[in-house]
Amino acid sequence: MTRSALAVVLLVLLLAGCGGDSNSSEGSQTPTTACEPLSGATLGKKLSPPHRETMFLTDVEVDIEDCVERITFKFKESESGPGYDFSYQPPEVAKIQDGSGDPVAIAGADFLVVRMFPAMTAEIDGEDVNQTYTGPRNIPAPVEARMIREVAQTGDFEAQVTWAIGLDNPHPFTVTASNDELVVEISAVPVTS
């Protein structure tokens, strides 16, 4: 190979290395400026109306889209739907297990705590215990997540099921409840005044 051909090959390789990889996680992320604000999203507390029947958790799913990251809590169907209390809590509150007070390791810098009530992860009839939720207690964020770091169960005590959503920063969120689901959507677009 001639010197000039070698120089061209090295120059091409050098330029290719500087150009970046369009498949890298950094390059594939949609900037928040391309996202629309999520209607009704807030950083404030969200609380359901009281007086509901006990719901039984069956599944927890994490779904990632360009502008919204979603956690869906699924339940056995019930007329009233789940009762809930969503709020940002400091780590010293969010990372503590209900009942025992033991610390819980959860990735993230900020924590959106989800308390579902009355709710349980098992149906109890005398001595019979039927687990309705058998999934993991800690769900790492999918690799394409930009905001969610981890979703972790921190409580199943006295008809209250608690999960903490570890995030990179506080993000506005919405909550939607139905007869068998409780869905929190976390927005990549900050709240504007």
Side-chain angles (χ1 to χ4, degrees):
M1 184 180 284
T2 67
R3 240 186 226 172
S4 61
L6 183 58
V8 169
V9 169
L10 288 174
L11 182 59
V12 168
L13 289 174
L14 181 62
L15 290 174
C18 294
D21 180 5
S22 64
N23 291 327
S24 73
S25 62
E26 194 173 301
S28 65
Q29 293 177 355
T30 302
T32 56
T33 54
C35 297
E36 293 293 321
L38 192 57
S39 178
T42 181
L43 292 171
K45 182 176 188 160
K46 300 261 186 186
L47 185 64
S48 69
H51 308 298
R52 298 178 175 272
E53 65 183 78
T54 301
M55 299 291 291
F56 296 95
L57 186 68
T58 60
D59 197 13
V60 179
E61 296 177 353
V62 179
D63 182 39
I64 306 300
E65 295 180 7
D66 287 341
C67 300
V68 174
E69 296 182 4
R70 179 179 304 106
I71 299 101
T72 303
F73 299 93
K74 296 188 173 195
F75 299 87
K76 290 182 78 170
E77 191 167 346
S78 170
E79 280 297 314
S80 65
Y84 58 84
D85 178 339
F86 281 77
S87 63
Y88 279 100
Q89 296 292 329
E92 58 273 13
V93 173
K95 297 171 71 171
I96 297 295
Q97 188 173 36
D98 294 348
S100 71
D102 292 338
V104 178
I106 308 167
D110 288 278
F111 301 92
L112 181 58
V113 175
V114 184
R115 297 191 197 291
M116 296 168 271
F117 53 85
M120 298 175 70
T121 60
E123 293 177 300
I124 302 171
D125 184 13
E127 297 291 318
D128 294 333
V129 177
N130 176 33
Q131 290 294 139
T132 58
Y133 179 74
T134 57
R137 294 176 59 90
N138 291 70
I139 303 170
V143 292
E144 67 272 22
R146 293 172 41 206
M147 299 174 282
I148 297 173
R149 297 295 179 250
E150 186 173 16
V151 181
Q153 183 179 357
T154 59
D156 184 4
F157 183 68
E158 295 184 347
Q160 180 171 281
V161 175
T162 308
W163 287 72
I165 302 167
L167 299 167
D168 63 336
N169 289 299
H171 293 276
F173 66 96
T174 63
V175 177
T176 307
S178 68
N179 290 349
D180 62 352
E181 287 186 344
L182 182 59
V183 180
V184 58
E185 290 187 315
I186 300 165
S187 176
V189 180
V191 174
T192 57
S193 42

